[in-house]
């Protein structure tokens, strides 16, 4: 009995006292508020895909300039995730969440009235910063409002599903606005939703106590942000994503691409060196974090889901509209299986408490392998939609959501609860990096193949890109099979980084390497 007491007491400390007082109805309403914020963040980009041609005409943009309508948002969103996560952990996640949603609504309201291309690109960058505040804070609040592991897994799964369906619904809503109203309503729609959400959350979200586990309370809060480390990594991410985005259009040999790329790599090295000499209770990402159970392999898997979804959206949007001359609305309707299948699979979060996430993630990767193969083989002819593309979209999106949801759930269970905001930032950063790097790679593959196999009207370039994606998915499946250790599944979540029992982790990993041990049963 004595050997189980520490685990129970540590798990008990994770339960925020305020969460026990919340009714089920209030918890569900809060989850809806958090999901609406996630919906808006994904909608912000997907809805504008339909509006870009109208924006080009209205503001006199070139094609390369209009690409930054999407890229400016992604650049700042990805770059400011880590500092937003630290703000949520060190300060108050309620304030960060409400501030982010409010700022997003106000900026979007103003963007609807803008007619200048420089101003709209600036506002899109500011929207990315506002959105970056909402996601880590929302995940931190979900962990606090739903401290019980099964409820938490379900809530995180649904939260992720709203982002998946927003990508598809956003294209459809954006197309309807462009065709029957104007592109201005894409921005105003965000403002109309964000305003009531931020106002309601002021009263609905309970007061939050700051995470102080393992941190000396006498230390000033701003010193706990690790400003040097966070700033170094933020600049590195900005330069890296800028280089990757520019490289796919300007060429990889351009000085404007190579210089920021090299500098970003050097800054990442500097960041990790700085973190090794920074005390664990002050570091943004303590080095020991990467050695937590399965944390590194889960981070690697997180690079894949958004990459797969983004590739499908980009490839088929241009194929159906530019080559096959489909309307924007017809394209969006044919994309619906992606959102519907993904949203349905977002309700599978409770499976991670029954089965090891390893096998659920592998199931999702297997679905993605089947789907990507179907797309590569039969995506070039519109007549092949029902026999090839429809099942591929349904199976592949369901598999991607399984990978996304259960990687998200597992990485939160592996990491300390006091680092929920930072972990959310790391996870969402991996999603964005994977998408940025992957899209740059398949752009290059498609362009090089089309140069020798018939041009953009032929499917050979897109098929080659999907064969490349298939190789990446297979590599991820092999990595999960080999590196994911099930011995630590369903263990109590560590309370803070300094309390992680290194010997226990080593013992679990050793046990897993020697044989596939049965999961230990937790006492009632």
């Amino acid at each position: 009995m004595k050997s189980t007491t520490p685990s129970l007491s540590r798990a008990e400390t994770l339960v925020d006292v305020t969460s026990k007082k919340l009714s089920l109805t209030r918890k569900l309403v809060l989850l809806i508020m958090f999901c609406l914020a996630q919906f808006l963040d994904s909608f912000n980009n997907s809805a504008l895909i339909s509006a870009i041609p109208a924006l080009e005409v209205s503001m006199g943009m070139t094609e390369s300039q209009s690409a930054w309508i999407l890229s400016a948002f992604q650049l700042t969103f990805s770059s400011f995730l880590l500092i937003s996560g630290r703000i949520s952990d060190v300060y108050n996640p309620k304030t960060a969440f409400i501030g982010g949603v409010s700022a997003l609504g106000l900026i979007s309201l103003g963007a609807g009235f803008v007619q200048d291309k420089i101003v709209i690109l600036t506002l899109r960058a500011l929207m990315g910063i506002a959105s970056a505040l909402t996601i880590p804070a929302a995940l931190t609040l979900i962990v606090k409002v739903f401290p019980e592991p099964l409820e938490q897994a379900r809530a995180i799964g649904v939260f992720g599903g709203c982002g998946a369906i927003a990508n598809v619904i956003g294209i459809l809503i954006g197309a309807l606005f462009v065709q029957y109203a104007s592109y201005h309503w894409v921005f105003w729609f965000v403002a109309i939703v964000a305003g009531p959400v931020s106002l309601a959350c002021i009263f609905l979200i309970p007061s939050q106590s700051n995470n102080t586990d393992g941190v000396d309370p006498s230390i000033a809060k701003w010193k706990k942000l690790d400003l040097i480390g966070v700033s170094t990594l933020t600049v590195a991410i900005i330069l890296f994503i800028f280089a990757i985005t520019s490289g796919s259009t300007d060429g990889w040999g351009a000085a404007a691409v190579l210089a920021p790329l090299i500098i970003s790599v050097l800054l990442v090295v500097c960041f990790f060196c700085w973190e090794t000499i920074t005390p664990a209770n002050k570091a943004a990402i303590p080095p020991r974090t990467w050695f937590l159970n399965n944390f590194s392999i889960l981070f690697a898997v997180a690079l894949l889901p958004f990459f797969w979804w983004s590739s499908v959206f980009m490839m088929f949007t241009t194929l159906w509209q530019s080559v096959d001359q489909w309307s924007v609305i017809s394209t969006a309707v044919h994309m619906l299986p992606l959102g519907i299948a993904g949203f349905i699979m977002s309700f599978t979060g409770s499976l991670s408490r029954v089965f090891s996430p390893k096998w659920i993630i592998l199931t999702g990767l297997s679905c993605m392998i089947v789907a990507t193969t179907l797309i590569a083989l039969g995506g070039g002819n519109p007549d092949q939609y029902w026999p090839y593309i429809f099942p591929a979209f349904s199976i592949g999106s369901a598999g991607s959501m399984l990978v996304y949801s259960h990687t998200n759930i597992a990485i939160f269970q592996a990491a300390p609860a006091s680092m929920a905001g930072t972990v959310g930032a790391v996870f969402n950063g991996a999603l964005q990096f994977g998408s940025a790097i992957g899209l740059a790679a398949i752009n290059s593959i498609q362009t090089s193949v089309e140069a020798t196999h018939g041009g953009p009207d032929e499917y050979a370039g897109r098929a080659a890109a999907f064969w490349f994606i298939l190789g990446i998915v297979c590599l991820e499946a092999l990595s999960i099979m080999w590196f994911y250790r099930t011995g630590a599944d369903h263990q109590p979540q560590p309370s803070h980084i300094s309390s992680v029992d290194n010997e226990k982790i080593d013992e679990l990993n050793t046990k897993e390497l020697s044989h596939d041990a049965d999961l230990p049963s937790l006492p009632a």
Side-chain angles (χ1 to χ4, degrees):
M1 180 64 69
K2 290 183 179 179
S3 61
T4 63
T5 301
S7 296
L8 286 172
S9 61
R10 186 170 61 212
E12 183 67 23
T13 62
L14 298 177
V15 181
D16 192 347
V17 175
T18 58
S19 70
K20 295 180 179 180
K21 300 177 182 178
L22 298 181
S23 65
L24 178 59
T25 301
R26 187 172 176 183
K27 288 183 177 182
L28 292 177
V29 172
L30 281 171
L31 180 59
I32 292 172
M33 297 295 105
F34 303 147
C35 288
L36 283 173
Q38 170 81 313
F39 179 91
L40 290 180
D41 289 339
S42 299
F43 177 89
N44 236 315
N45 257 7
S46 61
L48 282 177
I49 292 175
S50 304
I52 282 179
L55 280 163
E56 289 178 347
V57 174
S58 176
M59 300 187 184
M61 289 183 172
T62 64
E63 187 175 345
S64 59
Q65 289 173 334
S66 66
W68 281 99
I69 294 175
L70 302 181
S71 299
F73 179 91
Q74 293 173 324
L75 178 65
T76 53
F77 177 77
S78 306
S79 304
F80 284 86
L81 278 170
L82 181 60
I83 191 167
S84 300
R86 289 299 294 166
I87 290 172
S88 295
D89 286 338
V90 174
Y91 288 91
N92 194 314
K94 176 180 178 178
T95 304
F97 179 79
I98 295 173
V101 176
S102 301
L104 180 62
L106 290 173
I107 296 168
S108 298
L109 178 64
F113 295 98
V114 169
Q115 296 289 341
D116 182 81
K117 59 186 176 183
I118 301 298
V119 178
I120 197 67
L121 292 179
T122 303
L123 291 178
R124 286 289 294 163
L126 293 175
M127 288 180 198
I129 297 174
S131 295
L133 274 172
T134 64
I135 298 301
L139 286 167
T140 302
L141 290 167
I142 287 175
V143 170
K144 288 173 172 284
V145 173
F146 299 94
E148 196 277 319
L150 181 58
E151 288 184 349
Q152 187 180 114
R154 289 172 176 166
I156 290 175
V158 174
F159 180 78
C162 287
I165 200 168
N167 283 320
V168 177
I169 298 298
I171 294 178
L172 183 57
I173 294 176
L176 292 172
F177 281 146
V178 171
Q179 183 157 336
Y180 298 111
S182 73
Y183 71 85
H184 302 282
W185 278 97
V186 174
F187 298 111
W188 290 335
F189 176 84
V190 175
I192 290 170
V193 176
V197 168
S198 59
L199 184 63
C201 286
I202 294 175
F203 303 100
L204 288 173
I205 298 176
S207 300
Q208 301 294 310
S209 58
N210 297 321
N211 290 319
T212 57
D213 290 337
V215 181
D216 184 355
S218 64
I219 300 175
K221 287 184 178 180
W222 67 269
K223 293 183 179 179
K224 304 173 191 174
L225 288 175
D226 187 15
L227 291 177
I228 294 177
V230 167
S231 300
T232 301
L233 189 59
T234 299
V235 174
I237 294 170
I238 291 173
L239 292 175
F240 180 78
I241 296 181
F242 174 81
I244 292 294
T245 304
S246 302
S248 59
T249 55
D250 300 340
W252 296 101
V257 174
L258 287 176
L261 188 61
I262 294 171
I263 294 171
S264 68
V265 173
L266 294 175
L267 287 174
V268 169
V269 173
C270 292
F271 168 76
F272 282 107
C273 291
W274 171 259
E275 295 299 277
T276 59
I277 62 174
T278 303
N281 59 359
K282 296 181 183 178
I285 307 177
R288 182 59 193 168
T289 304
W290 301 100
F291 297 94
L292 292 170
N293 295 303
N294 300 316
F295 190 92
S296 294
I297 185 60
L298 290 169
F299 175 84
V301 173
L303 298 169
L304 182 62
F306 276 21
F307 170 34
W308 192 89
W309 274 314
S310 300
S311 301
V312 171
F313 276 116
M314 185 188 75
M315 292 290 186
F316 281 95
T317 297
T318 56
L319 175 68
W320 288 341
Q321 292 185 37
S322 302
V323 179
D324 298 329
Q325 301 301 311
W326 289 11
S327 68
V328 176
I329 293 179
S330 178
T331 298
V333 169
H334 283 80
M335 292 282 188
L336 282 177
L338 288 165
I340 294 171
F343 187 68
I344 291 172
M345 297 309 292
S346 70
F347 292 93
T348 62
S350 57
L351 291 178
S352 66
R353 303 305 302 173
V354 180
F355 306 101
S356 168
K358 175 178 182 176
W359 308 116
I360 302 174
I361 294 170
L362 280 173
T363 300
L365 291 171
S366 300
C367 292
M368 294 174 71
I369 289 172
V370 173
T372 309
T373 303
L374 288 173
I375 292 173
L377 291 173
N381 190 334
D383 295 335
Q384 301 286 358
Y385 178 81
W386 291 108
Y388 282 92
I389 303 306
F390 177 80
F393 279 7
S394 302
I395 296 170
S397 188
S400 294
M401 181 52 66
L402 283 176
V403 174
Y404 172 91
S405 296
H406 294 276
T407 300
N408 199 354
I409 292 166
I411 206 168
F412 269 97
Q413 281 299 305
S418 59
M419 288 181 62
T422 301
V423 171
V426 169
F427 177 78
N428 281 275
L431 295 172
Q432 299 298 326
F433 302 152
S435 178
I437 298 169
L439 286 176
I442 64 171
N443 250 345
S444 299
I445 293 170
Q446 181 183 353
T447 302
S448 61
V449 171
E450 286 175 351
T452 55
H453 291 81
D457 290 350
E458 299 294 330
Y459 192 68
R462 291 177 174 84
F466 279 109
W467 287 123
F468 170 78
I469 295 171
L470 178 63
I472 299 297
V473 177
C474 291
L475 180 62
E476 293 276 23
L478 291 173
S479 299
I480 281 287
M481 181 68 73
W482 183 258
F483 293 109
Y484 190 103
R485 306 301 174 198
T486 60
D489 288 338
H490 307 150
Q491 295 296 310
Q493 189 177 11
S495 58
H496 54 86
I497 192 69
S498 60
S499 71
V500 175
D501 189 342
N502 296 339
E503 295 181 0
K504 182 63 176 177
I505 291 175
D506 294 339
E507 177 187 338
L508 288 169
N509 287 336
T510 303
K511 185 187 298 183
E512 176 64 26
L513 286 169
S514 60
H515 60 87
D516 193 10
D518 293 332
L519 292 176
S521 58
L522 294 176

